[in-house]
């Protein structure tokens, strides 16, 4: 897992030098992060300030990575990593206070807001000319454009995806008498609750024939008590609490950071070595 993270981070930081990284932020040049010499030639910054959510954790070797990055590039990488559930509050405060980082990690939900408000650097032209990205299918960068402009670049197509988690008791037994909660991906199956492509055309997945069958499955499961009655109002934190208390039998969660957190907490509570993971 660590190797895959390092590969993703390595690409992200290569982009930070060449195309602005995960997200290039619009800010005034400082003595620390000069990007162009007076003659117009691109020069290497001495420091890159990065605010991120899912970057390496200290226990996964962050210090070693930062030291290695500086040794290989001659640049210092300053990482700000807020607590996960406070990430976007802290990021918004950075922008509001003027303490804008050079590179940030941002989810597509927030990318539209930040990009539309002019807070991010338009890297469309730079991406198209990048030697780092020339062999990568442009569909990946095109998929997250905002108003036909690239304000970010996706650093991975998997990695920290979602898995359905089923808790195991101290005796190693799966509890099948408590409901499922959050996301409902197993009930949707081949239906897509979003815009999707059918025969080369973009359509509303909610209006497709297979969605009717998916909604019937969900309705039946909800009526039978197989789905948590509070699924619509649940927050991720409340689902975790229900999971720890044995009130839900399965839910979908992030497979790397999320599962690591659940494993640690669940092991302390029930002396279970690990959770059963399935349906990636």
């Amino acid at each position: 897992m660590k190797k895959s993270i390092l590969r993703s981070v390595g690409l992200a930081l290569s982009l930070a030098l060449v195309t602005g990284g995960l997200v290039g932020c619009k800010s005034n040049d400082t003595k620390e992060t000069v990007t162009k010499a007076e003659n117009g030639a691109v020069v290497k910054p001495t420091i890159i300030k990065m605010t991120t959510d899912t970057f390496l954790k200290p226990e996964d070797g962050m210090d070693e990575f930062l030291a290695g990055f500086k040794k290989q590039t001659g640049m210092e990488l300053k990482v700000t990593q807020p607590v996960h559930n406070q990430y976007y509050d802290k990021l918004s405060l950075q922008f509001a206070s003027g303490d804008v980082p050079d590179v940030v990690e941002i989810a597509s939900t927030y990318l539209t807001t930040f990009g539309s408000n002019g807070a991010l650097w338009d890297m469309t032209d730079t991406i198209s000319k990048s030697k780092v990205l020339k062999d990568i299918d442009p569909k990946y960068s095109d998929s997250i454009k905002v108003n036909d402009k690239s304000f970010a670049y996706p650093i991975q197509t998997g990695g920290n995806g979602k898995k359905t988690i089923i808790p195991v008791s101290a005796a190693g037994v799966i509890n099948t008498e408590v409901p499922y909660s959050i996301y409902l991906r197993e009930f949707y199956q081949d239906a897509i609750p979003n815009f999707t492509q059918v025969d080369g055309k973009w359509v509303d997945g909610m209006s497709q024939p297979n969605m009717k069958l998916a909604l019937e499955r969900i309705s039946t499961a909800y009526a039978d008590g197989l789905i948590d009655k509070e699924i619509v109002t649940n927050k991720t934190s409340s689902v975790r609490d229900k999971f720890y208390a044995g009130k839900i039998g399965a839910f979908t969660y992030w497979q790397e950071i999320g599962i690591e957190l659940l494993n640690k907490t669940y092991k302390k509570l029930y002396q279970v070595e690990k959770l059963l993971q399935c349906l990636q």
Side-chain angles (χ1 to χ4, degrees):
M1 181 181 76
K2 186 178 293 185
K3 288 184 178 179
S4 66
I5 292 176
L6 290 173
R7 283 196 294 269
S8 296
V9 172
L11 174 58
L13 295 176
S14 296
L15 292 170
L17 304 181
V18 182
T19 68
L22 305 159
V23 172
C25 303
K26 292 176 67 176
S27 61
N28 296 326
D29 287 340
T30 67
K31 292 180 180 180
E32 292 181 336
T33 56
V34 177
T35 56
K36 287 190 178 180
E38 291 182 1
N39 61 4
V42 175
V43 296
K44 201 163 63 171
T46 56
I47 295 176
I48 296 176
K49 295 183 295 182
M50 181 178 182
T51 298
T52 181
D53 185 20
T54 61
F55 189 65
L56 286 174
K57 303 293 183 182
E59 60 268 25
D60 293 326
M62 180 189 286
D63 290 341
E64 292 84 351
F65 178 85
L66 297 180
F69 180 79
K70 185 173 183 178
K71 182 177 180 180
Q72 291 189 30
T73 66
M75 294 176 290
E76 181 181 356
L77 181 63
K78 285 188 174 181
V79 176
T80 299
Q81 192 172 46
V83 176
H84 174 66
N85 61 3
Q86 299 175 6
Y87 180 72
Y88 286 101
D89 291 336
K90 299 293 186 182
L91 183 61
S92 297
L93 284 174
Q94 282 187 306
F95 277 89
S97 66
D99 182 24
V100 182
D102 302 304
V103 183
V104 302
E105 177 184 355
I106 193 166
S108 57
T109 306
Y110 295 88
L111 179 60
T112 301
T113 301
F114 280 82
S116 299
N117 289 338
L120 307 176
W121 172 46
D122 179 3
M123 60 178 76
T124 310
D125 184 59
T126 309
I127 286 178
S128 67
K129 297 176 180 177
S130 170
K131 294 180 181 179
V132 174
L133 303 175
K134 64 182 179 64
D135 296 325
I136 301 177
D137 194 324
K139 70 180 182 181
Y140 296 112
S141 58
D142 290 346
S143 68
I144 57 171
K145 281 186 173 181
V146 177
N147 297 327
D148 207 34
K149 295 181 180 180
S150 293
F151 294 107
Y153 195 89
I155 63 170
Q156 60 186 20
T157 57
N160 190 33
K162 302 182 185 72
K163 281 188 176 181
T164 296
I165 316 301
I166 302 176
V168 182
S169 70
V173 179
I174 298 173
N175 187 347
T176 59
E177 298 180 355
V178 286
Y180 182 101
S181 183
I182 206 167
Y183 293 132
L184 302 174
R185 58 186 298 177
E186 283 70 44
F187 296 93
Y188 283 119
Q189 297 181 16
D190 63 335
I192 306 295
N194 206 331
F195 288 99
T196 185
Q197 282 191 314
V198 176
D199 298 328
K201 296 182 179 180
W202 285 100
V203 298
D204 183 356
M206 294 297 294
S207 66
Q208 299 304 297
N210 54 4
M211 181 56 68
K212 179 180 179 181
L213 296 176
L215 294 177
E216 288 175 352
R217 287 191 293 270
I218 294 172
S219 177
T220 300
Y222 190 84
D224 290 345
L226 300 177
I227 297 176
D228 183 11
K229 298 297 183 182
E230 299 175 340
I231 189 169
V232 176
T233 58
N234 276 337
K235 298 186 296 184
T236 304
S237 58
S238 60
V239 173
R240 286 198 302 266
D241 290 341
K242 290 181 179 183
F243 178 83
Y244 298 142
K247 294 181 179 179
I248 58 172
F251 75 106
T252 309
Y253 206 37
W254 298 106
Q255 70 177 23
E256 289 184 355
I257 297 173
I259 289 179
E260 181 180 353
L261 170 64
L262 293 176
N263 272 326
K264 288 181 178 178
T265 306
Y266 207 72
K267 183 177 180 179
K268 288 180 181 179
L269 291 173
Y270 299 107
Q271 291 75 52
V272 175
E273 287 299 318
K274 63 179 181 179
L275 304 171
L276 178 63
Q277 309 174 54
C278 67
L279 300 175
Q280 183 171 343

